[in-house]
Amino acid sequence: MSILLGGGFYADANNKKNELPEIGVVASSAISLDKEMLIGDALMRQLRSQAPVINDPLLDEYIQDLGNRLVAQADDVKFPFTFFLLNSPDINAFAFFGGHVGVHSGLIFNAKNESELASVLAHEVSHVTQRHIARSIEERQKSAPLQIASMLGGILLAMANPEAGMAAISAGSAASQQASINYTRQNEKEADRIGIRILAQAGFDPNGASGFFSTLTEKSRLKSAPMAFLMTHPMPESRVADARSRAATYNVGTIPESLSFHLAKSRILARYYAKPDYNIEYFSAALAKDSYVFKQAAEYGLALSYLANKQYSQAQSLIANLLESDPDNLFYLDVFTDIAIETKQFESAINRLSSQTAHNPRNQVLVLNLANVLIKDKQYAKAVSLLKDFLLLKPNNMLAYDLLSDAYLGGQQPLEMHQVKAEVFALVAAYPRAIDELQSAYNYAGEKQLEKQRIRARIEQFRDAQEKLRTL
């Protein structure tokens, strides 16, 4: 699967987009790289439990692919990057320990083109590669002892919800903790400089940065309160001019529009923002007035809206036409699968997805859709086999675990179902509940001594993880 500038989102067995770029070397800091990754993992688990993280394979695949194209052009990459989405209309993005970059859905929806979106991701990648959070902690450590545990709650809130986060910080040790969230102007200038270079080298329009800053400036004038991005990224007026002058140093031709970007925008509106009747009217009007960048994106949004409104024949007609001209497009295949499930055309979906998955067994959109159809068709054993193989490659995929739990439940395998539920709770740092699930699994193990031993060992691992979380 690949993203082509101006093209669709495709399944491609030869694409290696999710392979990691070569890892660079950087100087040590107050926080070791190992501890930075440990803190990043802990924060991510808490975010899953406390923030509206979107578990959408299509949008996950899109944003991870886009991010990886940028990371591939960055220097000093120390760990694999994880890009994820939050369901929030705020125009915001944030980076934190261990290569995690969060993007609010409002950022994608309000970006005018893919280069604007990519400019924000490149900026956040630069914050990570330059270890700006770790460096600010190192500076503060000279005058005060490092208190990671006391910072976690404020950082977590501020990243997912800047207004709530800033309020929490103000109630605590404001001066010291705010520095852990608000990058200094020097940090911002450095991230801008490096980000624009990454943006241009990755094949995007370097003017995307100044374009995005201009969009922020326009929208902020219409709001009484500061915008989310501006609260976490100080932005003086000169920043737009600086970004524009930096972009002018790169000789870049015309960058074609990205179909995948506009499909993602349509998906966010249809799936996460407005009600189906409004969306049907919105996309129908766009098609009637030729008010779109890509007709396919408007038709795709309309198909999603019809699907949500249970108008399956209308949705199916649109998707059939889209797939006829672009049979490997994952956005279309996903809607095709949902329609097939609702209309109980399981065999048709299984056949189509199986042929695609055979060529691209690592793609989460294909695998998870196929597993879902297999479960609906009560082919539980096949779904279990498919999901277990996938989780070996993607061990932190929440949706895969949820589907695997459903497959075990349908197949009347309570021992395995409780074990899988334990992993789901662990992914949101709910270790006591994870241990409870494993104890339930233990009761179903009967005379399976090896299985009991594995469960006991996993319980100890969860207890160790809980203790590490306490001692951060």
Side-chain angles (χ1 to χ4, degrees), residues 184-400:
T184 65
R185 288 193 176 185
Q186 182 180 354
N187 290 156
E188 289 299 317
K189 288 183 71 173
E190 185 175 40
D192 283 348
R193 174 178 57 81
I194 297 172
I196 290 173
R197 175 183 62 77
I198 290 172
L199 189 67
Q201 290 180 350
F204 296 99
D205 184 356
N207 291 295
S210 59
F212 174 73
F213 293 153
S214 296
T215 298
L216 282 181
T217 302
E218 291 170 11
K219 290 183 178 293
S220 65
R221 291 196 185 106
L222 304 176
K223 297 188 66 174
S224 58
M227 296 181 68
F229 191 87
L230 300 183
M231 293 179 72
T232 53
H233 299 71
M235 191 170 76
E237 291 294 326
S238 62
R239 195 166 174 190
V240 177
D242 288 344
R244 191 173 291 122
S245 63
R246 288 188 189 281
T249 64
Y250 296 92
N251 295 319
V252 179
T254 302
I255 305 296
E257 288 279 358
S258 163
L259 173 60
S260 295
F261 168 76
H262 289 281
L263 289 171
K265 288 188 68 165
S266 292
R267 186 174 183 84
I268 286 170
L269 175 61
R271 289 287 300 272
Y272 301 103
Y273 275 18
K275 294 182 179 180
D277 54 350
Y278 170 85
N279 292 332
I280 290 171
E281 184 178 341
Y282 174 86
F283 288 113
S284 295
L287 288 165
K289 299 175 183 177
D290 293 341
S291 178
Y292 46 72
V293 178
F294 287 99
K295 184 179 181 181
Q296 302 98 306
E299 290 176 333
Y300 168 73
L302 183 57
L304 276 175
S305 305
Y306 279 138
L307 173 62
N309 209 39
K310 302 185 186 301
Q311 295 176 249
Y312 303 127
S313 60
Q314 292 93 326
Q316 193 166 32
S317 176
L318 283 166
I319 287 300
N321 289 334
L322 289 169
L323 278 171
E324 186 175 354
S325 61
D326 196 356
D328 296 331
N329 190 299
L330 295 176
F331 284 94
Y332 308 156
L333 286 168
D334 178 82
V335 181
F336 168 81
T337 304
D338 288 342
I339 296 169
I341 288 174
E342 294 296 337
T343 57
K344 300 189 185 304
Q345 300 177 45
F346 304 128
E347 186 176 357
S348 173
I350 290 170
N351 289 340
R352 187 158 201 159
L353 290 169
S354 294
S355 63
Q356 292 278 0
T357 306
H359 295 294
N360 201 351
R362 300 176 63 176
N363 182 271
Q364 62 175 319
V365 179
L366 298 173
V367 171
L368 298 180
N369 269 295
L370 178 55
N372 193 23
V373 183
L374 289 169
I375 291 168
K376 300 298 183 186
D377 199 33
K378 299 182 180 181
Q379 297 188 44
Y380 303 119
K382 288 184 178 180
V384 165
S385 177
L386 185 68
L387 290 166
K388 286 176 69 175
D389 286 347
F390 177 75
L391 282 166
L392 291 174
L393 300 170
K394 307 277 187 177
N396 292 331
N397 192 293
M398 288 277 291
L399 185 54

Side-chain angles (χ1 to χ4, degrees), residues 12 87 119 348 435:
D12 179 357
N87 187 11
S119 75
S348 173
I435 291 170

